[in-house]
Amino acid sequence: MQLILRPYQASDLENLVKHANNIKISKFLTNKFPFPYEKKDGEAFIQLALSHTPLQIKAIVVDNEVIGSIGVHQLADIYSKSAEIGYWIAEDFWGKGIVVRAVKEMLKYGFETFDIERIFARTSHVNLASQQVLKKAGFVFEAELKGTIFKNGEYFDELIFGFRKHQLNTLI
């Protein structure tokens, strides 16, 4: 299995829509990630992914097929030394260690590309798989915010995990 992170291409649209159109994925993401996920959503996302210089969003590609997305987004103002990482992967590829590898690669890219000292991720208390990904990638639990996520009529606790630039030498 060959894993690469690369810029999106217009030809990725079909696979993007095929894999993103899954309620099990959208339930853990922000409301900007719709369900159902349609062609127009994929077109808008690819356009967004290619609109930033330097690149913030990359396609997760396994054996020449786009199976997910990963992004690092630098914050502004007093938070400018931090960036948020976010990701999703197609259900067929869950539990294979792909996201951990992608996160580690994106950590290196983020610290090399942006003037930041910390990359953090937010997840809900019920998204145990994402929590495991972050821990395996070397993130450290930083905070729990009670009832700050409201999705599909329910409240969830928000967990924040962080990775500091000085930890880069620990990545394998």
Side-chain angles (χ1 to χ4, degrees), residues 17-18 30 47 56 69-70 77 83 90 116 121 129 151 165 169:
V17 173
K18 175 178 81 171
T30 69
Q47 185 176 14
Q56 296 177 8
S69 291
I70 190 163
D77 200 359
I116 55 174
K151 176 88 177 185
K165 190 174 188 174
N169 61 0

Side-chain angles (χ1 to χ4, degrees), residues 14-32:
E14 185 179 332
N15 283 325
L16 172 63
V17 173
K18 175 178 81 171
H19 293 304
N21 190 31
N22 184 330
I23 190 75
K24 293 178 185 176
I25 293 170
S26 68
K27 76 176 187 177
F28 289 122
L29 300 176
T30 69
N31 290 334
K32 291 179 183 177

Side-chain angles (χ1 to χ4, degrees), residues 23 47 49 56 96-97 109 112 114 121 136 155 164 167-168:
I23 190 75
Q47 185 176 14
Q56 296 177 8
K96 300 179 191 272
Y109 172 80
E112 290 169 0
F114 303 102
K136 287 179 181 178
Y155 286 96
R164 303 287 171 157
Q167 293 174 257
L168 269 177

Side-chain angles (χ1 to χ4, degrees), residues 30-68:
T30 69
N31 290 334
K32 291 179 183 177
F33 192 98
F35 181 80
Y37 197 98
E38 300 173 348
K39 182 179 178 184
K40 66 178 173 56
D41 302 310
E43 290 169 340
F45 182 77
I46 290 173
Q47 185 176 14
L48 171 70
L50 296 174
S51 70
H52 300 105
T53 304
L55 203 63
Q56 296 177 8
I57 301 168
K58 294 187 178 189
I60 301 173
V61 181
V62 170
D63 298 333
N64 297 315
E65 179 181 357
V66 171
I67 62 160

Side-chain angles (χ1 to χ4, degrees), residues 10-154:
S11 60
D12 296 329
L13 181 62
E14 185 179 332
N15 283 325
L16 172 63
V17 173
K18 175 178 81 171
H19 293 304
N21 190 31
N22 184 330
I23 190 75
K24 293 178 185 176
I25 293 170
S26 68
K27 76 176 187 177
F28 289 122
L29 300 176
T30 69
N31 290 334
K32 291 179 183 177
F33 192 98
F35 181 80
Y37 197 98
E38 300 173 348
K39 182 179 178 184
K40 66 178 173 56
D41 302 310
E43 290 169 340
F45 182 77
I46 290 173
Q47 185 176 14
L48 171 70
L50 296 174
S51 70
H52 300 105
T53 304
L55 203 63
Q56 296 177 8
I57 301 168
K58 294 187 178 189
I60 301 173
V61 181
V62 170
D63 298 333
N64 297 315
E65 179 181 357
V66 171
I67 62 160
S69 291
I70 190 163
V72 172
H73 308 278
Q74 185 175 12
L75 303 184
D77 200 359
I78 61 173
Y79 303 104
S80 65
K81 294 296 183 179
S82 289
E84 183 172 7
I85 192 169
Y87 47 82
W88 68 268
I89 191 169
E91 185 177 5
D92 291 346
F93 296 88
W94 291 357
K96 300 179 191 272
I98 295 168
V99 178
V100 173
R101 289 172 49 203
V103 166
K104 287 180 176 183
E105 188 173 325
M106 203 63 168
L107 284 169
K108 292 174 190 169
Y109 172 80
F111 287 119
E112 290 169 0
T113 305
F114 303 102
D115 182 19
I116 55 174
E117 293 297 320
R118 171 181 168 262
I119 294 177
F120 71 96
R122 297 186 271 193
T123 189
S124 71
H125 74 283
V126 295
N127 191 345
L128 303 179
S130 191
Q131 293 170 42
Q132 284 303 112
V133 163
L134 294 168
K135 290 173 187 175
K136 287 179 181 178
F139 281 72
V140 175
F141 176 75
E142 292 182 344
E144 180 176 7
L145 306 174
K146 296 288 186 182
T148 57
I149 297 172
F150 184 73
K151 176 88 177 185
N152 297 328
E154 287 185 78

Side-chain angles (χ1 to χ4, degrees), residues 39 83 166 171:
K39 182 179 178 184
H166 68 80
L171 291 180

